[in-house]
Amino acid sequence: MDQSSGKLAHWLAFYMCKGLGTKTLLALSKHHPLESLFDLPHAKLHELGLTANQASNLLNTDWQKVQHYERLVAEHNIEVICFFDTRYPDSLKHIASAPLLLFCKGDVSLLSSSQIAIVGSRNATPTGLEIASEFAYELTKAGITVTSGMARGIDGAAHKGALAGNSKTIAVLGTGVDIYYPKRHKLLTEQVLNSGLLISEFLPGTAANAHNFPRRNRIISGLSLGVLIVEAEIKSGSLITVRYALEQNKEVFAVPGSIKNPLAQASHFLIKQGAKLVENVTDILDEVSFSYQSGLYSKEETLQQSSDCEVLNSIGFEVTTVDDIVRRVQWPIDKVLARLLDLELDDQIERILDGYIRLSVGR
């Protein structure tokens, strides 16, 4: 981390400060040195634009916990790149809810390389695995880094194909970068670490949690020039990555399959919606040309204005269950869950055990 960006302890403290997001810190940085915020009284922080809760949370930072994560970072040789670091990828700065910190192990120079994401089913067919591996191999041979999520199936095949090419591949994890997940990919994770890059927005030691993986997907698409879907079902988690790609104005590519293969459903659906049908790597290279230009899609607003967002308006300051939210807004549950994720990433709501609560302010 650049010395000009402040000490690692400060950035970890900002990261762990509830309700304090990248947008707020970016605004504050234009008027006040961020590292000096910890020395200011509550009234001054409020004067600078922090809410009462944000100021209290910042002033009550658990420095022992910060030191714990500093030790983990050092023990596992993790590089921490913050939003204000010169090495932070510009493509990520422009996505919704850009991560404040990236925890990295491996070749961090790959963050600024031209990337294509390859995603798909965890239960892919042998043919799908072969296709993902071949595309990854050819892409890396053409000088493009392959980015994926280290999951079983298509993700793993993409990383393996890239390693067989020029070895340039990035695995975006839904755990801490010191965690092997899935365990069957321990060797693959080590191979990626040796010649590629592991990154995560989650603190070291963070175990696998189903809620983390949709968050991870916005980084996979955000880093990339485009996203390639190899095999996935219509309700596959891979379509979350595609949705983020569309919102980020990234290209979407899809490999067609047999109409009798349920894992071809997502690709065929996306092709009907305007995704580019690809049969070989040249189809992708012709489209991206190593420099991203606006694709076939118009950016979709992920969040309506707070006053107009039906899902946000259905959530009170008391615990509101997902069933109650669906009943109130009369939307399909998959659409509600997608909007809930967006609202949570924007720090307007908080997920707890039995549902969601509304926060007093967003970022």
Side-chain angles (χ1 to χ4, degrees):
M1 181 176 295
D2 291 349
Q3 289 298 316
S4 60
S5 300
K7 296 179 181 178
L8 173 59
H10 290 157
W11 289 113
L12 289 170
F14 287 136
Y15 177 95
M16 291 186 283
C17 180
K18 198 170 187 60
L20 189 63
T22 304
K23 290 180 183 178
T24 301
L25 288 172
L26 184 60
L28 285 171
S29 69
K30 297 176 181 178
H31 306 289
H32 204 86
L34 293 179
E35 61 271 18
S36 66
L37 293 178
F38 299 97
D39 301 321
L40 299 179
H42 191 284
K44 181 61 177 177
L45 290 174
H46 189 64
E47 182 182 320
L48 288 172
L50 294 186
T51 66
N53 285 338
Q54 289 171 331
S56 296
N57 291 339
L58 191 63
L59 293 176
N60 290 308
T61 295
D62 185 343
W63 291 106
Q64 285 189 332
K65 194 172 184 180
V66 169
Q67 290 173 0
H68 166 72
Y69 285 112
E70 279 190 294
R71 288 194 295 270
L72 286 181
V73 165
E75 288 172 8
H76 294 283
N77 297 312
I78 298 170
E79 289 191 68
V80 184
I81 298 177
C82 77
F83 184 88
F84 299 89
D85 195 309
T86 55
R87 296 173 298 169
Y88 193 97
D90 188 63
S91 57
L92 270 190
K93 288 186 176 182
H94 303 293
I95 71 170
S97 303
L100 176 62
L101 299 180
L102 295 174
F103 299 92
C104 307
K105 292 188 71 174
D107 184 2
V108 295
S109 68
L110 292 179
L111 286 173
S112 59
S113 64
S114 298
Q115 301 168 46
I116 291 292
I118 299 180
V119 297
S121 174
R122 286 177 169 81
N123 301 305
T125 66
T127 299
L129 297 176
E130 182 181 354
I131 290 172
S133 181
E134 288 178 353
F135 267 86
Y137 176 85
E138 294 296 337
L139 283 168
T140 58
K141 283 297 187 182
I144 287 185
T145 298
V146 170
T147 299
S148 197
M150 193 54 79
R152 293 182 293 108
I154 295 300
D155 287 20
H159 291 305
K160 291 173 184 176
L163 290 169
N166 71 5
S167 298
K168 302 305 182 186
T169 183
I170 297 175
V172 185
L173 307 181
T175 64
V177 290
D178 57 326
I179 302 295
Y180 292 108
Y181 183 83
K183 291 183 178 179
R184 70 176 64 184
H185 278 174
K186 180 177 181 180
L187 177 60
L188 179 60
T189 301
E190 292 174 346
Q191 290 172 333
V192 171
L193 175 60
N194 288 335
S195 55
L197 177 65
L198 305 175
I199 70 169
S200 174
E201 69 173 317
F202 301 107
L203 289 164
T206 301
N209 183 307
H211 185 68
N212 291 348
F213 294 96
R215 293 175 62 101
R216 169 206 62 181
N217 292 350
R218 81 190 194 286
I219 299 177
I220 292 176
S221 59
L223 286 170
S224 306
L225 299 172
V227 174
L228 171 65
I229 292 284
V230 177
E231 281 187 337
E233 294 177 311
I234 284 292
K235 294 188 177 182
S236 166
S238 301
L239 289 191
I240 296 175
T241 310
V242 170
R243 183 171 64 86
Y244 280 124
L246 297 179
E247 292 166 357
Q248 295 161 1
N249 277 346
K250 303 298 180 71
E251 296 290 351
V252 176
F253 306 98
V255 177
S258 167
I259 59 173
K260 295 186 177 181
N261 178 8
L263 293 177
Q265 292 176 352
S267 287
H268 293 171
F269 170 78
L270 292 171
I271 291 168
K272 291 175 183 177
Q273 301 302 311
K276 180 166 183 176
L277 185 156
V278 295
E279 297 175 308
N280 52 58
V281 167
T282 302
D283 292 332
I284 296 176
L285 299 179
D286 287 345
E287 200 72 30
V288 299
S289 300
F290 289 91
S291 60
Y292 180 70
Q293 298 178 0
S294 294
L296 301 174
Y297 306 93
S298 297
K299 183 173 182 179
E300 177 186 346
E301 289 298 327
T302 59
L303 290 175
Q304 300 165 333
Q305 294 296 320
S306 296
S307 60
D308 298 327
C309 181
E310 293 182 56
V311 173
L312 181 60
N313 289 338
S314 72
I315 301 171
F317 295 101
E318 74 288 348
V319 179
T320 310
T321 67
V322 173
D323 288 342
D324 284 340
I325 298 169
V326 170
R327 178 175 51 78
R328 291 171 184 174
V329 301
Q330 296 294 300
W331 287 7
I333 188 167
D334 57 340
K335 185 178 179 182
V336 169
L337 292 174
R339 183 57 55 83
L340 286 170
L341 176 60
D342 290 331
L343 289 167
E344 186 178 3
L345 287 171
D346 208 43
D347 218 16
Q348 297 192 59
I349 61 174
E350 180 179 354
R351 184 175 66 97
I352 59 174
L353 184 62
D354 296 321
Y356 292 82
I357 59 173
R358 186 168 181 168
L359 301 177
S360 57
V361 292
R363 294 185 180 187

